[in-house]
Structure formats: structure tokens, C-alpha cells
Amino acid sequence: MSKEEKKVNRRDFLFTASYTIGAVGLGAVVWPLVHQMNPDKAQQALATTEVDVSQVEPGNSITVLWRGKPVFLKRRTQEEIAEARAVSMSDLPDPQKDEDRVKDGKDEWLVMLGVCTHLGCVPLKDKGDYNGWFCPCHGSHYDVSGRIRKGPAPTNMEVPKYEFVDNNTIKIG
Amino acid sequence: MSDHDYTPKSKAGKWFNDRLPLLTLGAHLTDYPTPKNLNYWWTFGGILTFCLLTQIITGIVLAMHYVAHADLAFASVEHIMRDVNYGWLIRYIHSNGASMFFLAVYIHIFRSLFYGSYKSPREVIWIIGLLIYLLMMAAAFMGYVLPWGQMSFWGATVITNLFSAIPLVGESITTWLWGAYSVDNPTLNRFFSLHYLIPFLILGLVVLHIWALHVPGNNNPVGIDIKKPSKDTVPFHPYITIKDTFALLMFMIVFAGFVFFSPNVLGHSDNYIPANPLVTPAHIVPEWYLLPFYAILRSVPDKLGGVILMFGAIFILFVLPWLDTSKVRSAVFRPIYRQFYWIFVLDVLMLGYMGAMPAEGIYLVLARVGTIYYFAHFIIVMPVVGLLEKTDPIPMSISEPVLTGGADPALARKDNEKI
Amino acid sequence: MKRFNIKSLLFIITFLLASSAKLHSAGESTEPLKVDWSFKGVTGKFDRASLQRGFQVYKEVCSSCHSMQYLSYRNLGEPGGPEFSEQEVKAIAASVEITDGPDDQGEMFTRPGRPADKFKNPYPNVKASIAANGGAYPPDMSVLVKARPGGSNYIYSVLVGYEDPPAGVTLDDGVYYNKYMIGNKIKMSSPLSDDIVEYSDGTQATVDQMAKDVTTFLSWAAEPELEERHRTGVKVIIYLILLTTLVYLSMKKIWSRVDTEV
């Protein structure tokens, strides 16, 4: 390699290194500007919600607000449970057993986010073709287990993390 | 930009450029012939552009989290500092960025004063620059009100009360500014709105400022007109871009030093006390960059007189190009003016210091002397020195320092390097 | 030559002004004591044990009058702070009765605190706090350290600065003499006395120790981002120096094509 070539190489290296390191820095600056729009620490720490369900009769349901979204808590009758469990998996667009959507031994309680999985509207209860919920926005039908049966929604209504503190209290989150 | 014959190489580029000549503009900016002897004081234009963009970007982010309500503003700032992801970083960049912005603009202005960049044919650049400076002060003042601390509240009260000095309509104007009978929630809300608006006005003026600059081209340390392009010039890219980048990075090191290691040193601790309309802090002081004007305001024992003098201190700068009678631009070749220039710098620094001290005793006396000298510099020194001074010989060009007089050519060059 | 005289004069005067500005800010009261805090300096960090002890002092002594409304219990477990364990944070929060509501009947009710709750305010509002404290407002302590010139040193000095008034100074009822307080008069009686709290880590609870611990805690409360800020700052400055060097060398290379020095 001649002297001239070496010189050129060193110059190229300098410029490449400057550009590369400069670009890395720019990237590092962009991240805080993007990340600031994600949920902040107060949002992330949002409290869990405890619900007293002692007043809910079988067949009825209540709605509570959790993380800014409605949560349906339905106390199902034995007939409704039987109906939900009799459905064949092949009839479901998003196959899931009813047993997997409730807590063992507490199968009369269905707890799920009351948000249609299509575009986020709140479905109406005791409506639709499957004795469950019906979303008025774009016509999605859910069954008594909150599973999608007909319409544009792709998946079943989501079951959030929850637990029974005692027989009458459900803690969501 | 009509001086530029540029044809894009690609077909698509040509098609687009015929319809909107953005590529011609880009080529103009890249090739723009710049004097090759610009020193580091000339890098502050680029630094100021960086400051403006930093303030706009961080400001937009802060506005996503800030609440402009008297009951919630202070808490929302604490929310930004504590909970928002990187909120502390973004807010400290914004609050210290204001100070860095003013630091850079003062260097930029004093560079112009030293090298006579305000003189013909660059008067319009100078005046647009002053308009930008005025808007910067307005934006900085209103921004300082937003956290709704004690200094915010009382600073707003004092500054808006300046307008009550206007005879007859003063009181009505003040009430109109407030939207209430004192600085209150409506005031905070409108200040937020205007604080968001002003930076974009500044951005527009910056475009005009640069446009006006590109008509006659840059002044330079020697202050002589140069042929462009010639042996005296270099293309803006890469020569000036790389130099500006280097200076900007040095500036950013200082900036980062403040943001990460003493983010509150330039602010006032009273502004971490929530606004209280019943208690005024013992010493109300504006941010450091407004102190010289504050000193001028307080040095006059008359309310209206003080306000007039304070605004006069800024507006006299607008007629500066016509107060300076010297035919020579750069102070490098003006031995007498050069002395007065440094005395003036000293005077402004002293006024700044007096602005931070209580307006009593020796401080008040010195503030008055400083105020008188400030105006004397423009009204007496500039015209008189310009007429009487015997200037040093000036080189014919940057590359070939052939002098108009018989002095040693090396002298001019040496002088140049020292500045 | 003359020009340089004026220039150097300029620097001297600026320097004198700057140093006299420092003197002036001292004002009437005594200059605060200087403590060698672990969190000062470029790589400063909080002393974890001191933060935990300081929280104990705040909880057992200060919190009966002083609110800290911008802090949440969860902050006590966050990195860069006292870093209590998740269990400890839950226990601390649960030991406080928080008013919540309204419930479905429209009534307010109380429940044990949760980590997401803000620190409980000892008074329902500012006026109540003034009324309960003989007309003096016990300031909120969330950003107190940032709200006082002198910061941590000042808070510490006031805590240890109670003494008998010098001859000739008369004090009204409920007013105390403090060497470091601005104006020397304070409406809070000396809050600390030896062994007023019992530290679980065996540290002797002297007034000086407690004052240091609680000041450390308050310094963190005012600047919970401090450790992350210092850490990020060191990285940013190193990065900038590296990039500046590269750009400087590139600039030298580019400008070597013309005869002007840069």
C-alpha cells in the first residue's frame, strides 16, 4: 500500500467513524422522545380493583371500571354454564373451553374485559344470537362464555388477571 | 437563489425540481460561498438553530404532559419530573435550554457588534435578528410562568404591571393581559397558548434571517467585501458544516454539564414553592438573561420613565446601523472603538450584576451609572468615534493581505488571529 | 497591548462580581454548615441505609405536620431511592388509612393504603395545617430541598441549629431561635432529640445522625432522578468528548485542503 493510499484510508476511516458514532447518538436521543409517550410510572402502578359481588344474583351481572376499561362480572346460572360447555369446539372461531375461562370451583363467575375484540366498543348484555353479548358497533355476537361466535371480531373477550380474595370479593389486576 | 444553475442528475429529480426547486435550494445551501477566515464566533448561528429546534422538540413533548391550570400546573410539572418516562431529562433540557439559547444569542449579538455585521448592506439581517431576540424574551418570560411557582407568579405580576405605566389606558391593558383582576388562571392559560405559538414565529423569522444573509453573504473578521466565489471563499459544505458541528459539540458538552450535573443552578429556588398570591418572595429577580434590562428598569425612580428606558434599551439597537458612522466594519481595524467595545461589554455585565442585587445603596448608584453609559455608548460613542477615529489599514482581500496603507501586512493577519 | 489590559480587567471584574455575589447571598443568617453528602459530585449516589433511616425519621417525626404530596408509596421501592423490598413497600402503604370513594352509595370510605397511593396528607387542606400550627404553614416536603437556597446543607443546618436566643433577642410564644434559619426565627420547635426514633439497623439515633438521614431522604424526595441523571450524564459527556474528538480530526483533515487554519 502506498503512502497516498494509507492517507486516504485513514481519512475514510475518520469520516465513517464520525458518521457512525453520530448516528448512534441520534438514535439514543430519539428513544426518550418516543418512550415518553408510553404509560408513565403512575399509570403502570395503577391500583388493582376489589369488587364486592355479594349482591349479584345468579343470572345477573355487574360492570366495574378497571384501568379505564369496563370489566363484566357475570354470575351464571347452571343452565348457562351447561349451555356454554355443550358447544362443540369446531363451532368456535377462536376455540377455547369454557373451563379455561373461569376459575376452578368458581365456574359460575365469568370475569372478562367488556371490550369487543374487533375495534374496542362495549358489547350489550343478553343480546345477540347466542344468549350472550352483542356488539352494536359492527355486529359481533358472543356466547354466554364471552366467546366470539359470529361477526368481525377475531377473538374471544379477554379474561384479565383476577383472584377471589374471599367468597364475596374479587380482586382484578 | 437565481444565481444557481443546478440540474439534478436523475430524471425523477429533474421532474420534481422543475415543479418545486427544492434540490436547487439544497444545492445553493451546500455550495454557498463562505469566507474562509470565519472564526469560531461565527459558529453560533448554527448553534442557535440547534437551540431553537431543541426547545421546540422538547417543548412539544412537555406540552403532552403539562396541564395549564392554576391548580394543577405545579403538580403536573412534578408529575413530569417523577413519573413520565425520561420526563426529568426532557424538562431539564428545556429549562436549561432556554439559558443556553440566550447564552448563544448574546455571543452572536456581541460578535455582530464587534465585527460590524449590522452595517450596510446587512441592516435587514440585523433587524430581523433583533425581532427574533424580542420574541425569545417573550417566549422565555411566558415559559417561566408555566411551572406556576412563586417566581413564575410574581415575575408575571411584575412584568405585566409594566404595562400599567402607560398613561390613560395602562390599567385596562394590564387587566386585558391578565383576563382577571390579577395574575390568575386565565393568565396562565393564555401564556401557555402564546408560549407554544412564539417558537414557530421565531422559526419563520429564522428562515428570513438566513435568506437575508444569503443575499449579501457573510461578513467576516476582516470586514471587507469579498468576491464570491473566489480564493477567499470555501463552499459551505463540508467546510463550514464540519466546523459548525465541532463547535456545536463543544457547546453541547457545556449544555450537558448543566442538564446532568447542576440542572437548577441557573434557576431560582423560590420557583419550587407553589405560587401564592398572598406572599411575595423577598427578592424578585428575573432569569439571568434579562437582568441587565431589569437593572435599567429599576435604576429610574419614575414608573413610566423606567419602562420607557428599559424598552428603549432594546429599541435603540434597531437604529444602531445608522448610529454607527464608521466606514470600517470590523473593530479589528478600529483601535479606539475596540476599547469602547470592551467597556460596553463590561457595562452590560455590570448592569446584569446590579439587576440581581437589591435596588439600594451603592448598587442603585452603579446601576444608574451603567444605564447612562449604556445609552451613551450608542448615542454618543458610536457616532462620534466613527467620525473622529483614525482606522488601521485594511487588507484588499482575505487571501492576499495587500493593505490600502503602507503598514505591515503581517499585522492585520496577526490581529485577526487574536480575536 | 492596551486591548489586553482591558480584557484582563474584564475578567478580574467579572470574577470579583461573581465571588461577591456568593458572599451576598449569605444574607443575615449564618452560612449553612457544609456536609460531605454522598450524593454530591458527578458520580454521587444516595446512601441506601441512610435513606431508609431517613424515611423512618420522616414517618415517625415529620409526617405528623409535613405533607409530601407528590410522593407515592411505590416510590420507596423504586431504583435510586430507599429501595425497600416490594413486601416492605406494601406493608408501609398498608399501615396507612386512605380515604377513598365515593362507593356505590356515594359515601367516602377508608381502606388500607396501596403502593400506588400518594403519601397521606396529615391535614385535609392547607388552611387546616395553618390553623393547627399556630398560624405557620408546615411546608410540603416533596421538593423542599430544591426550594431553599443552600439545599441539603441548609435543611440539615436548620435541624441542628436550634439554640438559646442571644441576649437582646426576644421571642414571642411559639417562636424559636435558630442560628441558620433565614431571619433566625422559626415557628417549629426543635423536632429532633436523641433517641426519638429507634433505628432497626442499630445505628445510634443522635440528633446529628437523624438530621443527616432525614436530609438525605428529603434530598432524594426532591430529586428522585438524581442517580439516573448522574449515571446518564457521565455516559453522555464521555460520548460527546469522543464524538467531538472524531469531528475535530475530520475537520482538520477537511480544512487541510485550504490554506486557512481552523
Side-chain angles (χ1 to χ4, degrees):
Chain A
M1 211 183 266
S2 76
K3 243 186 178 175
E4 271 302 298
E5 277 175 320
K6 264 186 192 160
K7 246 182 156 176
V8 168
N9 274 342
R10 204 181 128 218
R11 196 178 71 195
D12 286 348
F13 167 75
L14 257 180
F15 295 162
T16 317
S18 303
Y19 276 124
T20 313
I21 300 207
V24 169
L26 270 181
V29 168
V30 167
W31 172 239
L33 294 173
V34 172
H35 189 43
Q36 52 88 17
M37 279 170 73
N38 278 323
D40 61 45
K41 284 194 231 154
Q43 291 289 334
Q44 288 166 23
L46 250 195
T48 50
T49 302
E50 286 188 8
V51 190
D52 177 9
V53 292
S54 55
Q55 307 298 320
V56 185
E57 296 295 328
N60 286 348
S61 71
I62 57 170
T63 305
V64 297
L65 200 65
W66 176 71
R67 282 194 166 177
K69 288 176 188 160
V71 175
F72 296 154
L73 300 101
K74 179 167 172 88
R75 188 170 184 180
R76 303 182 296 183
T77 60
Q78 288 309 318
E79 298 83 67
E80 284 171 329
I81 296 170
E83 181 193 333
R85 297 197 169 175
V87 178
S88 146
M89 282 298 119
S90 58
D91 290 343
L92 294 172
D94 178 20
Q96 192 180 22
K97 282 188 187 159
D98 182 64
E99 289 88 334
D100 297 340
R101 296 175 58 79
V102 295
K103 298 267 181 216
D104 262 352
K106 294 280 184 190
D107 47 18
E108 62 174 356
W109 284 103
L110 176 66
V111 179
M112 63 183 181
L113 286 183
V115 177
C116 177
T117 55
H118 181 219
L119 291 169
C121 296
V122 178
L124 305 168
K125 65 175 174 182
D126 305 329
K127 289 255 164 64
D129 301 348
Y130 297 90
N131 200 16
W133 287 267
F134 171 71
C135 182
C137 289
H138 308 97
S140 293
H141 300 255
Y142 295 89
D143 67 14
V144 75
S145 185
R147 293 172 297 198
I148 180 65
R149 300 298 288 273
K150 200 167 90 180
T155 56
N156 306 333
M157 281 196 268
E158 188 187 338
V159 177
K161 195 182 143 211
Y162 71 98
E163 62 185 70
F164 282 85
V165 179
D166 55 50
N167 270 336
N168 289 326
T169 314
I170 295 176
K171 191 171 100 178
I172 307 166
Chain B
M1 275 155 262
S2 52
D3 55 37
H4 220 285
D5 295 323
Y6 173 76
T7 322
K9 285 193 191 79
S10 73
K11 242 186 173 172
K14 192 175 176 313
W15 178 88
F16 183 80
N17 202 51
D18 286 344
R19 283 149 184 84
L20 180 65
L22 267 188
L23 296 169
T24 305
L25 176 65
H28 162 80
L29 292 175
T30 313
D31 300 343
Y32 173 65
T34 318
K36 64 181 182 182
N37 64 335
L38 296 187
N39 55 37
Y40 283 101
W41 300 118
W42 257 268
T43 58
F44 281 84
I47 288 171
L48 282 162
T49 314
F50 163 80
C51 288
L52 176 62
L53 294 179
T54 304
Q55 292 304 87
I56 289 180
I57 292 168
T58 53
I60 288 171
V61 167
L62 289 172
M64 294 182 190
H65 305 282
Y66 170 78
V67 182
H69 188 283
D71 295 341
L72 302 169
F74 193 90
S76 74
V77 172
E78 279 309 308
H79 165 70
I80 290 170
M81 293 299 289
R82 289 163 194 278
D83 291 336
V84 174
N85 304 316
Y86 294 107
W88 61 269
L89 176 61
I90 292 159
R91 173 173 177 244
Y92 276 154
I93 290 176
H94 197 73
S95 62
N96 284 288
S99 279
M100 301 313 288
F101 205 158
F102 275 96
L103 176 68
V105 91
Y106 281 127
I107 295 174
H108 195 62
I109 291 173
F110 275 97
R111 189 268 291 152
S112 177
L113 288 176
F114 189 87
Y115 293 109
S117 303
Y118 51 85
K119 291 200 216 197
S120 171
R122 298 185 179 83
E123 300 94 324
V124 172
I125 312 175
W126 172 253
I127 287 169
I128 293 172
L130 288 174
L131 290 175
I132 292 172
Y133 175 51
L134 274 179
L135 285 178
M136 275 175 66
M137 288 199 277
F141 159 65
M142 291 193 228
Y144 196 58
V145 174
L146 303 184
W148 212 240
Q150 274 290 65
M151 274 299 162
S152 302
F153 183 88
W154 291 100
T157 302
V158 168
I159 300 297
T160 48
N161 264 312
L162 291 178
F163 294 93
S164 71
I166 301 167
L168 300 175
V169 293
E171 289 294 334
S172 324
I173 290 179
T174 315
T175 316
W176 173 75
L177 285 172
W178 288 338
Y181 297 98
S182 65
V183 173
D184 208 336
N185 192 49
T187 326
L188 176 61
N189 251 297
R190 64 194 58 185
F191 277 17
F192 180 52
S193 166
L194 295 172
H195 181 72
Y196 206 119
L197 165 71
I198 291 174
F200 297 97
L201 298 181
I202 293 178
L203 193 62
L205 284 175
V206 166
V207 172
L208 294 184
H209 194 62
I210 296 172
W211 186 1
L213 169 70
H214 281 227
V215 175
N218 282 74
N219 183 26
N220 63 79
V222 186
I224 54 172
D225 290 323
I226 48 168
K227 279 205 198 85
K228 47 175 196 169
S230 70
K231 265 203 285 184
D232 286 349
T233 66
V234 288
F236 193 79
H237 183 76
Y239 293 94
I240 303 300
T241 42
I242 188 80
K243 193 170 171 177
D244 277 1
T245 306
F246 170 63
L248 174 62
L249 285 166
M250 300 283 277
F251 183 81
M252 283 167 78
I253 291 175
V254 178
F255 195 159
F258 278 111
V259 168
F260 292 104
F261 301 113
S262 10
N264 292 304
V265 75
L266 297 169
H268 198 291
S269 52
D270 276 349
N271 223 28
Y272 282 105
I273 302 172
N276 181 352
L278 298 175
V279 183
T280 307
H283 297 292
I284 300 193
V285 281
E287 293 285 83
W288 68 268
Y289 38 81
L290 302 176
L291 286 172
F293 300 108
Y294 194 57
I296 292 175
L297 169 76
R298 293 191 310 179
S299 70
V300 186
D302 176 69
K303 187 174 177 182
L304 180 59
V307 174
I308 289 176
L309 231 54
M310 187 185 74
F311 283 111
I314 299 163
F315 285 110
I316 199 162
L317 294 169
F318 281 89
V319 290
L320 175 62
W322 296 276
L323 289 172
D324 184 354
T325 53
S326 176
K327 289 196 170 60
V328 176
R329 277 199 200 100
S330 173
V332 172
F333 306 104
R334 301 183 59 190
I336 312 292
Y337 170 74
R338 207 158 58 209
Q339 310 290 333
F340 280 108
Y341 171 85
W342 288 111
I343 295 173
F344 178 69
V345 172
L346 200 64
D347 184 58
V348 173
L349 287 176
M350 185 189 77
L351 278 174
Y353 178 70
M354 296 310 150
M357 293 296 109
E360 55 197 32
I362 182 73
Y363 298 129
L364 190 56
V365 176
L366 285 173
R368 285 181 179 158
V369 173
T371 302
I372 292 168
Y373 188 80
Y374 182 95
F375 285 97
H377 177 82
F378 293 110
I379 296 169
I380 300 168
V381 173
M382 292 293 256
V384 174
V385 169
L387 290 175
L388 300 183
E389 182 179 43
K390 187 181 179 304
T391 54
D392 290 342
I394 297 167
M396 300 288 279
S397 84
I398 297 169
S399 303
E400 299 148 86
V402 178
L403 304 182
T404 50
D408 180 6
L411 206 71
R413 217 182 308 139
K414 237 172 87 191
D415 249 330
N416 235 332
E417 285 158 14
K418 275 178 194 154
I419 300 299
Chain C
M1 203 54 215
K2 254 186 182 169
R3 192 171 86 233
F4 290 96
N5 282 337
I6 288 194
K7 259 191 184 170
S8 43
L9 187 72
L10 198 84
F11 284 120
I12 292 166
I13 291 179
T14 317
F15 179 75
L16 287 178
L17 286 178
S19 43
S20 76
K22 265 200 160 161
L23 283 178
H24 182 89
S25 64
E28 308 123 44
S29 41
T30 319
E31 182 85 1
L33 300 165
K34 286 202 164 52
V35 180
D36 191 18
W37 302 107
S38 67
F39 49 88
K40 294 287 172 215
V42 169
T43 53
K45 283 188 172 72
F46 292 109
D47 174 349
R48 227 50 78 199
S50 181
L51 279 178
Q52 298 200 353
R53 291 194 300 267
F55 171 67
Q56 190 185 348
V57 177
Y58 167 74
K59 196 174 103 183
E60 293 178 19
V61 183
C62 320
S63 71
S64 54
C65 299
H66 291 276
S67 59
M68 283 185 105
Q69 56 176 324
Y70 300 120
L71 272 84
S72 305
Y73 295 107
R74 64 184 159 82
N75 296 140
L76 295 169
E78 283 167 6
E83 296 186 2
F84 285 108
S85 71
E86 204 186 322
Q87 290 314 312
E88 286 169 314
V89 172
K90 278 188 177 157
I92 290 166
S95 69
V96 182
E97 287 264 286
I98 299 284
T99 307
D100 201 349
D103 62 16
D104 293 343
Q105 276 68 49
E107 306 289 335
M108 300 304 277
F109 58 94
T110 59
R111 56 163 175 80
R114 301 176 190 137
D117 287 319
K118 296 269 185 216
F119 276 26
K120 192 186 178 179
N121 200 317
Y123 301 102
N125 52 57
V126 171
K127 288 213 165 161
S129 73
I130 295 174
N133 287 281
Y137 167 59
D140 183 86
M141 282 181 159
S142 316
V143 282
L144 192 65
V145 169
K146 285 203 280 192
R148 296 289 179 276
S152 316
N153 283 338
Y154 174 77
I155 303 288
Y156 165 77
S157 302
V158 167
L159 285 172
V160 299
Y162 285 88
E163 43 183 55
D164 292 330
V169 176
T170 49
L171 298 172
D172 294 336
D173 248 13
V175 178
Y176 305 87
Y177 186 84
N178 191 305
K179 197 161 111 187
Y180 301 104
M181 179 82 185
I182 298 160
N184 295 128
K185 288 180 183 171
I186 184 165
K187 284 198 164 181
M188 171 175 74
S189 63
S190 180
L192 301 175
S193 55
D194 285 345
D195 298 318
I196 192 172
V197 302
E198 196 186 322
Y199 284 140
S200 59
D201 64 358
T203 308
Q204 190 66 40
T206 60
V207 167
D208 186 70
Q209 183 65 44
M210 287 184 287
K212 279 196 178 123
D213 289 343
V214 81
T215 304
T216 303
F217 174 71
L218 293 177
S219 303
W220 164 77
E223 301 189 282
E225 86 295 346
L226 179 136
E227 289 190 9
E228 191 191 355
R229 175 155 60 75
H230 284 177
R231 241 184 357 253
T232 317
V234 170
K235 283 186 215 151
V236 168
I237 301 264
I238 291 173
Y239 166 82
L240 282 175
I241 290 172
L242 174 68
L243 185 59
T244 308
T245 313
L246 280 173
V247 168
Y248 175 77
L249 294 174
S250 305
M251 177 178 76
K252 280 284 182 192
K253 262 273 170 302
I254 289 173
W255 277 79
S256 66
R257 298 172 210 159
V258 287
D259 56 0
T260 318
E261 279 283 314
V262 280

